[in-house]
Amino acid sequence: MHILRIDKIRNDTGFSKDDTDLYLQMGEFSFAPASTISSEAKSSASTVIGKMVRIPKGEFLYGGKKEKKNIDHDYEIGAYSVTNDEYKIFLGENPNYEIPEHWIKEPMTFPKGKENHPVVSVSFEDALKYCEWRTKKEGLQGSQYRLPTEVEWEKAARGTDGRVYPWGDEFDKEKCNSSESGINDTTPVNKYPDGVSQYGCYDMAGNVWEWVDSWYDEKEKTCVLRSGSWVDGDQERVRASNRDRLVPTGRVSNIGFRVVLSAR
């Protein structure tokens, strides 16, 4: 069971009308039914499937105003966004589940060469189903996979010192896949080892927006998105404190997710 949380401290405006119009023109909106970084953390791992990093409990500086927030529990978070390879395993064991719209249906697979790219065009609800499946697949009893809360996501992204970006306070287009990179597409989740956070998390600035388990506006039923992306994430929008929103059934080609592992 998931619980969406709302954070009333923040006052961001979310997707602008221009953003929404752009996505509609691109055909990107579709809706489903109602510390010091270790050398290991900075290396390009031979496999990115399942790699988790530990985030300790305690205070950190949160939001644009850098207010003190306390997390009262340790947790593990994915070092990377969930990849196409990982999501394909989930779909292979759930053949009746809807695949991302840009995937090949027969045989069911993602576009060639994108195995280590983040899965996209998945809704908040799809992400929850994936977490439920992975918890059962690994036979977990006292712990579970779930989406991170907004506060958990931000601490993993910026550490304890209130840095603007995962790597520090100065923007560097060589450390993330933002619109300034000019790549105009997703990239492998382990492409930017110099852009990792204090805890060793990749792509927490750019590449794809990520669903988190927090309300942006509970009345409007919109969920928080974090990270910014390759298509609409300039250096302002990929800040660790930046946020956006979307309805939980939305499936968009620059939105994915990463998981948290915690006690039940």
Side-chain angles (χ1 to χ4, degrees):
M1 180 173 141
H2 71 282
I3 302 174
L4 283 166
R5 295 112 174 139
I6 187 166
D7 192 327
K8 298 180 179 179
I9 293 175
R10 319 296 288 272
N11 294 308
D12 303 72
T13 57
F15 275 111
S16 69
K17 185 179 185 300
D18 288 343
D19 289 334
T20 304
D21 289 345
L22 173 62
Y23 288 133
L24 288 170
Q25 290 167 18
M26 292 169 64
E28 300 296 0
F29 275 125
S30 64
F31 294 92
S35 73
T36 302
I37 303 165
S38 68
S39 58
E40 178 186 2
K42 293 190 69 173
S43 67
S44 294
S46 58
T47 176
V48 300
I49 290 181
K51 182 176 173 62
M52 307 291 287
V53 296
R54 179 180 173 275
I55 313 297
K57 64 183 178 181
E59 289 187 345
F60 76 108
L61 300 178
Y62 172 77
K65 295 181 179 180
K66 298 185 179 181
E67 301 179 54
K68 285 186 178 181
K69 280 268 190 181
N70 182 62
I71 296 179
D72 63 3
H73 56 277
D74 297 338
Y75 58 100
E76 294 183 34
I77 193 168
Y80 312 97
S81 305
V82 172
T83 64
N84 285 316
D85 247 355
E86 291 176 284
Y87 203 72
K88 183 179 179 180
I89 298 169
F90 161 65
L91 291 175
E93 296 186 11
N94 296 273
N96 295 322
Y97 205 78
E98 186 171 350
I99 69 172
E101 60 183 359
H102 61 290
W103 281 33
I104 301 165
K105 293 184 179 180
E106 295 292 340
M108 184 274 293
T109 193
F110 44 79
K112 185 177 180 180
K114 291 201 170 185
E115 58 274 2
N116 279 350
H117 287 232
V119 65
V120 294
S121 297
V122 289
S123 69
F124 177 88
E125 296 170 350
D126 295 334
L128 293 180
K129 290 292 184 183
Y130 174 88
C131 291
E132 291 173 7
W133 164 81
R134 187 162 163 182
T135 298
K136 291 179 182 178
K137 183 175 179 64
E138 296 187 12
L140 301 180
Q141 298 297 323
S143 57
Q144 64 178 338
Y145 286 103
R146 57 175 175 81
L147 293 180
T149 66
E150 184 168 21
V151 175
E152 289 172 333
W153 191 98
E154 188 169 320
K155 183 173 185 180
R158 72 193 308 190
T160 58
D161 57 8
R163 58 188 64 183
V164 178
Y165 302 100
W167 56 84
D169 289 335
E170 298 298 323
F171 178 75
D172 187 338
K173 69 177 183 179
E174 303 300 322
K175 294 182 178 180
C176 64
N177 183 14
S178 65
S179 57
E180 287 91 347
S181 72
I183 294 172
N184 297 319
D185 198 358
T186 58
T187 49
V189 296
N190 57 353
K191 179 178 173 62
Y192 294 100
D194 291 330
V196 299
S197 75
Q198 175 183 352
Y199 300 111
C201 296
Y202 286 65
D203 277 352
M204 299 194 89
N207 210 5
V208 297
W209 289 99
E210 296 180 0
W211 293 108
V212 297
D213 193 2
S214 300
W215 288 117
Y216 188 100
D217 189 314
E218 191 168 6
K219 291 183 179 179
E220 293 183 0
K221 302 299 181 185
T222 51
C223 302
V224 174
L225 299 170
R226 287 304 201 102
S227 181
S229 81
W230 60 270
V231 67
D232 61 355
D234 60 20
Q235 60 184 285
E236 289 299 312
R237 301 198 80 190
V238 300
R239 291 175 295 114
S241 62
N242 189 48
R243 63 209 295 261
D244 220 317
R245 62 183 172 185
L246 189 63
V247 292
T249 51
R251 290 179 170 137
V252 183
S253 69
N254 65 335
I255 298 177
F257 67 101
R258 75 180 65 215
V259 299
V260 154
L261 179 62
S262 67
R264 289 183 184 271

